[in-house]
Structure formats: C-alpha cells, structure tokens
Amino acid sequence: MAAPEMSCDLAEQVCLVTGASRGIGFEIARRFLAQGAKVAICARKEAGLGEAAERLGGGHRLLAVKAHVAVEEDVKSMFSQVLERFGRLDVLVNNAGMNLFVPAVTEAGFSLWQKIMESNLNGMFLCSQAAAAVMKEQRQGKIISISSLAARQVAPGMGIYGVAKAAMEMLTKVLAAELAFYNIQVNAVAPGMVRTGFSQPFWSNEDVCRQIVNAIPAGRLAEPRDVADLVLFLASPAADYLTGQIILLDGGASLV
C-alpha cells in the first residue's frame, strides 16, 4: 500500500516548475496544485506541454508556457507571463535538463557537451537569475534545483551529465550565499535512480534492475513522489532556515 502523501499547505503560493511535462517535474507540479498553489509549468515541446496541462487540470491556477530554459529570450518571456498572470513568484523548481549518454568525455564532440551543459547548467542559471530579481523585491522566495547522485559518483555514459550536475550544486551554494540576506532560500535535491520514463531502459530489464536495487540499502528505486515530497518540504515555511544544502535522496546508495 502506498504511503500517505505529505501535507504541505502552499495556498496562494506561486510556483514555477521547469521541465514539467512528465516524470519528476510533472509530479512536483501535481503536488503543488494539490496543496493549493498557483502553478506555472514549462516544457520545450508544445504537444507534451498541452497533454501535461490537461492531465493536471488546475483551471485558473495553472499556466503552461512553451519555453526552452537555455534560451534567454524564452526565459524572459516565461517570467513575464508568470508575473502577468499571477503577479509574483514564490518558488522556482529548476527541474528541466537532459542526459544524453556518451561513451567517454574525451570522445564527445563539443556540440554534445554544449547541449547537455545548456539544458542543465545554463538553464538553471538563467531561470534562477530571473527568479532572484523578482524574489529580491518581495524579500522572500525559494529556489530548488534537481541535481543527481551522478554529481558525485562517476557512472559510465553519464560523464558530461555528472559534470553539469556538479556545477549545478556549486551554483546552488553560491546563490544561497548571495541571496540569504533577501530571505531567499536556495537548495537542491540529488536523487539516485528514479522510476521515470527516462530511466525505463534500466528498470524495465529485470536483471539490470535487480543489480541496481541490490546496491540500494533501502531495497527499491526512488519514485517521483519521493522527490516531490522533499521538494514540497523545501518549498514550505518549514524550510525557511535551510539554505545552501544539497540533499541526497538515494535510499542510502551513496553509503555503500
């Protein structure tokens, strides 16, 4: 039986979740809406964005924006639409990103390096900078980024992705130090493998999945709701004194 969902009242809070058309981002947006928040979601592909918006419902409390977080003009337009619709921004979740498997960093083309860095690191930079400008005026806000266990553990085929996530974690700390004076908390969540469509090639293979789970003391993969639970906490007033932290959410995998 599934564990009960954590309660976190976000009534009237305005939250922006990037890369929310599926997986972790979709679940975070769904939970924000369930807790009474006004939610803006973005994705690069209009079809997926429309399907996600339809599944989420939300009515007047939901805004869907087609945007690529690594494109400065897209980010400016997205934030303008959020402010025009809701008038403020209380929570930014930097979830958008990509991981294209590469045989080795030393063999990867520069264009592939740029593509992965842009979607992960540059997107976080642009969105966080735009959010900070709004939150400074409000003297309040929370910026939460989704990192990965790959930021600290080298994994075959995930070299560039791991470098990008490691840089995201340092950016989290830098932003936390710069923005603490304005009552803005900046933190990151670093999950291990999460059971999403992206990781399906691993967990759908019974033998591979068994090997992965055997290396996790908790004895299971993370589910999107596990990540959403922690993000909800970080978005809530309960986390007002927590900033600059990278929270590992890996079932103990980093312990072994």
Side-chain angles (χ1 to χ4, degrees), residues 6-26:
M6 181 181 70
S7 177
C8 179
D9 186 6
L10 294 176
E12 300 308 308
Q13 295 284 293
V14 177
C15 307
L16 168 60
V17 185
T18 68
S21 63
R22 58 185 177 177
I24 294 170
F26 178 88

Side-chain angles (χ1 to χ4, degrees), residues 124-144:
M124 176 189 172
F125 166 75
L126 290 172
C127 289
S128 297
Q129 193 174 63
V134 177
M135 293 173 180
K136 280 182 177 181
E137 292 292 324
Q138 299 170 173
R139 309 291 288 195
Q140 175 191 352
K142 297 182 187 295
I143 298 174
I144 305 160

